[in-house]
Amino acid sequence: MRQNPSFAMTDVTELRRLISRNPWVTLVSQTDDGLVASHYAVLLDDERDDLTIVGHVGRPDDLIHGLGERELLVVVQGPHGYISPGWYDGGTQVPTWNFVSAHLSGVPEILSPEENLRVLEKLVAHFEGGMPQPRLMWEPPNDPDFVRRLEKGTIGFRLTPTKVVAKRKLSQNKTPEVVETIIAELSGDERWANAPLAAEMRRAHDALAAAREENA
């Protein structure tokens, strides 16, 4: 991902927020047969305060990726959407796409079966937590034998990235008036409405405004 200093995202707290809110990621590996990609849910490692993530792949994706043997690229995609030049303040303008994204690279550590079980349990608890009647991994109708058979079909991993490239392109190069127009368009009820992107823009620009006041 081409980086631009104006859009660079380096704050670990913000990156952790991006990952926790967008756990469905793309895993990319370079193999002897070319590039391969898979899609899985991950979680931040709750025993760490950095960008370490944990997750699993279903067999035989571990072999296809060479998991644990070569570098893995994890693509995290946050809110994104089309921005029309018609929302700008006149003059020669071009359309663009606003987005928040991070690339985490490193060689993952393969988890033991017991560690993998704990990660699977946390994944289920995380996503079932908001359900009216959560179906947790170790609770009936599941039995221990069923859960352990389930685990044997997966390979757990932990990735502490050795390289992070993250970008938050949210019209930071536009005037406050244009930013307000874009947010208003994205917040409407037309077919191009995009409430998550509008909220992310509002949050980012409020933080920028606060920083400017503090440094004034």
Side-chain angles (χ1 to χ4, degrees), residues 206-216:
D206 284 352
L208 282 172
R212 291 190 190 102
E213 286 185 11
E214 186 176 329
N215 295 328

Side-chain angles (χ1 to χ4, degrees), residues 85 89-93:
D89 50 2
T92 302
Q93 303 285 357

Side-chain angles (χ1 to χ4, degrees), residues 114-182:
E114 290 305 316
E115 289 176 309
N116 188 29
L117 276 171
R118 288 196 292 272
V119 169
L120 291 171
E121 183 178 12
K122 289 175 182 178
L123 279 163
V124 173
H126 178 80
F127 293 108
E128 281 289 314
M131 298 296 174
Q133 294 180 317
R135 289 282 299 271
L136 300 180
M137 194 170 79
W138 292 103
E139 294 183 357
N142 298 345
D143 60 59
D145 287 341
F146 170 79
V147 172
R148 291 190 180 278
R149 287 197 304 272
L150 189 68
E151 186 279 328
K152 290 182 182 300
T154 70
I155 294 292
F157 69 89
R158 176 183 292 109
L159 175 68
T160 300
T162 53
K163 180 181 179 182
V164 178
V165 180
K167 196 169 183 177
R168 179 161 52 189
K169 180 181 176 293
L170 298 172
S171 300
Q172 295 98 317
N173 56 341
K174 300 300 179 183
T175 65
E177 294 76 18
V178 168
V179 169
E180 290 301 323
T181 298
I182 295 171

Side-chain angles (χ1 to χ4, degrees), residues 4-207:
N4 180 322
S6 300
F7 303 141
M9 188 177 180
T10 58
D11 184 86
V12 172
T13 300
E14 288 297 295
L15 286 164
R16 286 176 60 86
R17 176 179 176 271
L18 174 66
I19 296 166
S20 66
R21 285 173 170 254
N22 301 276
W24 185 249
V25 302
T26 302
L27 312 179
V28 183
S29 299
Q30 174 66 59
T31 74
D32 294 340
D33 296 322
L35 289 171
V36 295
S38 299
H39 309 274
Y40 286 95
V42 300
L43 295 175
L44 288 164
D45 189 334
D46 59 10
E47 297 181 358
R48 305 280 293 270
D49 57 6
D50 56 10
L51 300 179
T52 298
I53 57 173
V54 291
H56 73 281
V57 300
R59 298 177 188 269
D61 277 3
D62 57 317
L63 300 179
I64 293 171
H65 281 274
L67 201 67
E69 299 174 357
R70 55 172 68 98
E71 187 177 44
L72 181 71
L73 170 65
V74 179
V75 180
V76 185
Q77 182 64 66
H80 62 94
Y82 177 73
I83 306 299
S84 169
W87 302 342
Y88 297 160
D89 50 2
T92 302
Q93 303 285 357
V94 296
T96 191
W97 204 274
N98 277 3
F99 64 91
V100 185
S101 186
H103 293 178
L104 315 177
S105 303
V107 179
E109 167 196 356
I110 301 300
L111 301 182
S112 69
E114 290 305 316
E115 289 176 309
N116 188 29
L117 276 171
R118 288 196 292 272
V119 169
L120 291 171
E121 183 178 12
K122 289 175 182 178
L123 279 163
V124 173
H126 178 80
F127 293 108
E128 281 289 314
M131 298 296 174
Q133 294 180 317
R135 289 282 299 271
L136 300 180
M137 194 170 79
W138 292 103
E139 294 183 357
N142 298 345
D143 60 59
D145 287 341
F146 170 79
V147 172
R148 291 190 180 278
R149 287 197 304 272
L150 189 68
E151 186 279 328
K152 290 182 182 300
T154 70
I155 294 292
F157 69 89
R158 176 183 292 109
L159 175 68
T160 300
T162 53
K163 180 181 179 182
V164 178
V165 180
K167 196 169 183 177
R168 179 161 52 189
K169 180 181 176 293
L170 298 172
S171 300
Q172 295 98 317
N173 56 341
K174 300 300 179 183
T175 65
E177 294 76 18
V178 168
V179 169
E180 290 301 323
T181 298
I182 295 171
I183 291 175
E185 293 287 350
L186 294 173
S187 301
D189 55 7
E190 301 290 349
R191 60 181 177 82
W192 53 81
N194 189 329
L197 181 58
E200 200 69 17
M201 286 187 63
R202 171 65 67 200
R203 184 175 181 278
H205 283 276
D206 284 352

